[in-house]
């Protein structure tokens, strides 16, 4: 039977290691050959493209003055961007000086209530709620690839499911699966709801969706440099928004996974899955959840070698590379996401380090990916 998983395998979109946030030091031995375990940088699953329209097309620019309610002003300044500890991956290196102008930033991730207000005002439909467009899909496939049955091309998004037993951590298909009907309103699929969770981060939003919201709000997505500068909270050469202490040392500082990933989350931090915004203390700038809870979209394209190519003594208001290139999926343009999520584990993934990053195609949304906005005025 030609099911969705078989089709995804056929076109190279099977979830082989999406968000398998493995420490860069973890390795496994295969036939006496040391091989890197799949990391959170490899084979991010791409959602079927739904249209060829531009992000935020049809969303009108906000004409009235922007409200800075719920935002924090960050004075501009110079800082060290990139990894300054021994856990940095190639795309976090080399550490270098950067400088950003002052900007406003949301003190929390955009919530379900805020996103619902946007949808009510505009009638916006997210990518996860749209039926995939075969005409767009086949542009990314080898010539002659047969069209799948219509029942495969349905609105869906990626949801997390714990396996019943320990599994190898190099195949994220064992805990991520495409769920028809999953979207921001139904985060775990049909039957789930955000009722009573108005103050939780909105999820299953693709980059295109986040851009549309930001345009409506009169804001924009942060650059990677702005996001990292804000996450530091005024600290320099520290691994986390609160310093260098382990996340659990003085009571949990962020919403992450405790236990054996991906089987058992002990919820020692008080939460299994998402937490409401402001459930943990703010950083030095008064910003919440700059580590853990949900990954957050930035405006920058992703290139693994971007930092290596920066030649300026100080990168001033860096906007990221002009285009994207991911060696694992060279044909798929990707954007940078920052901050880690509730699936990050101390012994398995520390994606919530301030210099850590991930990558994802602009049309991909997941159960643990959200965003916050910034404004320069």
């Amino acid at each position: 039977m030609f099911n969705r998983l078989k089709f995804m395998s056929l076109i190279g979109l099977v979830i082989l290691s999406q968000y398998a946030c493995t420490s860069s030091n973890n390795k496994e031995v295969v036939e006496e050959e040391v091989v890197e375990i799949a990391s959170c940088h490899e084979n991010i699953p791409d959602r079927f493209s739904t249209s060829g329209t531009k992000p935020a097309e049809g969303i009108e620019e906000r004409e009235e003055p922007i409200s800075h309610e719920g935002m924090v002003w960050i004075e501009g300044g110079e800082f060290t961007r990139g990894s300054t500890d021994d856990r940095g991956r190639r795309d976090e290196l080399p550490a270098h000086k950067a400088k950003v102008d002052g900007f406003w930033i949301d003190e929390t991730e955009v919530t379900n209530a805020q996103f619902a207000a946007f949808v009510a005002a505009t009638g916006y439909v997210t990518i996860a709620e749209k039926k995939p467009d075969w005409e767009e899909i086949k542009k990314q496939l080898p010539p002659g690839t047969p069209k799948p049955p219509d029942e495969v091309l349905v609105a869906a998004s990626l949801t997390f499911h714990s396996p019943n037993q320990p599994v190898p951590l190099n195949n994220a298909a064992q805990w991520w699966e495409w769920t028809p009907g999953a979207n921001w309103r139904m985060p775990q699929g049909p039957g789930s709801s955000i009722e009573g969770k108005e103050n939780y981060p909105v999820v299953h939003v693709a980059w295109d969706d986040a851009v549309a919201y930001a345009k409506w709000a009169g804001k924009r997505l942060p650059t990677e440099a702005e996001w990292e500068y804000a996450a530091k909270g005024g600290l320099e050469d520290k691994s986390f928004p609160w310093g260098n202490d382990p996340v659990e040392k003085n009571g949990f500082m962020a919403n992450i996974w405790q236990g054996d990933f991906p089987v058992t989350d002990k919820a020692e931090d008080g939460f299994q899955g998402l937490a409401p915004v402001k459930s943990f203390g703010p950083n030095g700038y008064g910003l919440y959840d700059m580590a853990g809870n949900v990954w957050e979209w930035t405006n920058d394209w992703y290139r693994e070698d971007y930092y290596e190519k920066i030649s300026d003594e100080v990168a001033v208001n860096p906007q990221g590379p002009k285009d994207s290139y991911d060696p694992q999926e060279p044909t798929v343009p990707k954007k940078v996401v920052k901050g880690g999520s509730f699936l990050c584990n101390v012994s398995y993934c520390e994606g919530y380090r301030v210099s850590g990053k991930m990558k994802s195609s602009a049309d991909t949304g997941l159960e643990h990916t959200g965003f916050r906005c910034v404004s320069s005025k």
Side-chain angles (χ1 to χ4, degrees):
M1 182 176 179
F2 196 163
N3 61 28
R4 186 179 187 84
L5 183 59
K6 289 180 180 178
F7 173 63
M8 291 175 67
S9 178
L10 172 65
I11 66 175
L13 299 180
V14 168
I15 311 166
L16 297 177
S17 56
Q18 207 289 332
Y19 287 109
C21 304
T22 309
S23 166
S24 59
N25 294 323
N26 288 349
K27 300 177 186 294
E28 62 180 3
V29 178
V30 179
E31 296 181 354
E32 300 182 353
E33 187 175 343
V34 178
V35 179
E36 291 280 352
I37 290 179
S39 76
C40 28
H41 292 257
E42 296 178 7
N43 302 316
I44 293 178
D46 311 304
R47 190 185 186 281
F48 302 130
S49 299
T50 55
S51 72
T53 59
K54 297 179 180 180
E57 189 171 37
I59 302 297
E60 295 184 0
E61 296 279 2
R62 180 179 289 264
E63 295 182 359
E64 60 267 30
I66 298 170
S67 170
H68 293 136
E69 181 180 359
M71 302 186 81
V72 173
W73 173 255
I74 306 295
E75 289 289 346
E78 185 175 304
F79 70 108
T80 301
R81 182 169 70 152
S83 176
T84 57
D85 56 33
D86 60 359
R87 288 165 285 188
R89 302 178 186 275
R90 181 186 176 192
D91 58 11
E92 299 173 50
L93 300 169
H96 56 280
K97 292 295 182 181
K99 183 178 181 179
V100 295
D101 294 335
F103 58 96
W104 292 91
I105 184 169
D106 292 341
E107 63 178 349
T108 73
E109 298 139 341
V110 172
T111 65
N112 285 320
Q114 291 171 319
F115 199 79
F118 157 63
V119 171
T122 63
Y124 184 82
V125 179
T126 64
I127 288 179
E129 297 172 278
K130 297 177 182 178
K131 178 181 177 179
D133 183 345
W134 171 244
E135 294 303 314
E136 290 299 318
I137 295 171
K138 68 181 182 181
K139 293 177 183 178
Q140 303 177 40
L141 304 178
T145 300
K147 180 182 178 180
D150 289 340
E151 60 266 23
V152 172
L153 297 175
V154 297
S157 196
L158 285 162
T159 58
F160 173 81
H161 298 269
S162 292
N164 294 323
Q165 59 188 14
V167 295
L169 299 181
N170 60 351
N171 183 1
Q174 296 170 106
W175 56 85
W176 284 106
E177 64 182 54
W178 286 97
T179 302
N183 55 58
W184 73 275
R185 304 174 194 270
M186 297 182 288
Q188 288 81 44
S192 63
S193 170
I194 58 172
E195 184 176 353
K197 296 183 177 181
E198 290 78 11
N199 203 34
Y200 282 62
V202 65
V203 294
H204 292 295
V205 284
W207 185 86
D208 293 354
D209 303 325
V211 169
Y213 173 94
K215 181 179 179 182
W216 170 78
K219 305 176 185 179
R220 59 180 173 81
L221 293 184
T223 64
E224 182 183 4
E226 289 172 329
W227 194 100
E228 191 164 325
Y229 181 71
K232 286 175 174 285
L235 301 178
E236 183 71 1
D237 297 331
K238 303 297 183 183
S239 296
F240 308 109
W242 56 85
N244 284 331
D245 288 336
V247 64
E248 76 283 1
K249 183 175 181 179
N250 297 308
F252 279 89
M253 302 295 291
N255 179 23
I256 62 169
W257 183 285
Q258 301 88 49
D260 297 325
F261 183 85
V263 180
T264 305
D265 182 1
K266 297 179 181 179
E268 293 170 346
D269 60 9
F271 300 95
Q272 283 186 333
L274 281 177
V277 299
K278 296 188 177 182
S279 293
F280 299 84
N283 72 359
Y285 288 152
L287 304 176
Y288 296 85
D289 295 320
M290 297 302 283
N293 217 19
V294 296
W295 288 97
E296 300 181 16
W297 289 108
T298 72
N299 195 58
D300 290 27
W301 288 113
Y302 175 86
R303 289 190 72 97
E304 185 180 64
D305 60 354
Y306 173 52
Y307 287 2
E308 297 173 7
K309 296 182 180 299
I310 295 176
S311 58
D312 295 339
E313 184 175 340
V314 178
V316 179
N317 293 319
Q319 302 296 305
K322 294 181 179 180
D323 55 15
S324 170
Y325 181 74
D326 174 14
Q328 279 77 42
E329 291 183 294
T331 64
V332 182
K334 297 182 179 180
K335 292 287 185 175
V336 173
V337 289
K338 300 277 287 183
S341 80
F342 64 85
L343 295 180
C344 285
N345 179 277
V346 172
S347 62
Y348 166 60
C349 164
E350 286 187 315
Y352 48 90
R353 291 178 299 108
V354 290
S355 64
K357 67 179 76 176
M358 287 274 295
K359 60 196 174 181
S360 187
S361 58
D363 61 358
T364 299
L366 297 100
E367 190 180 339
H368 69 345
T369 303
F371 68 105
R372 75 180 73 212
C373 299
V374 301
S375 172
S376 299
K377 56 183 180 179

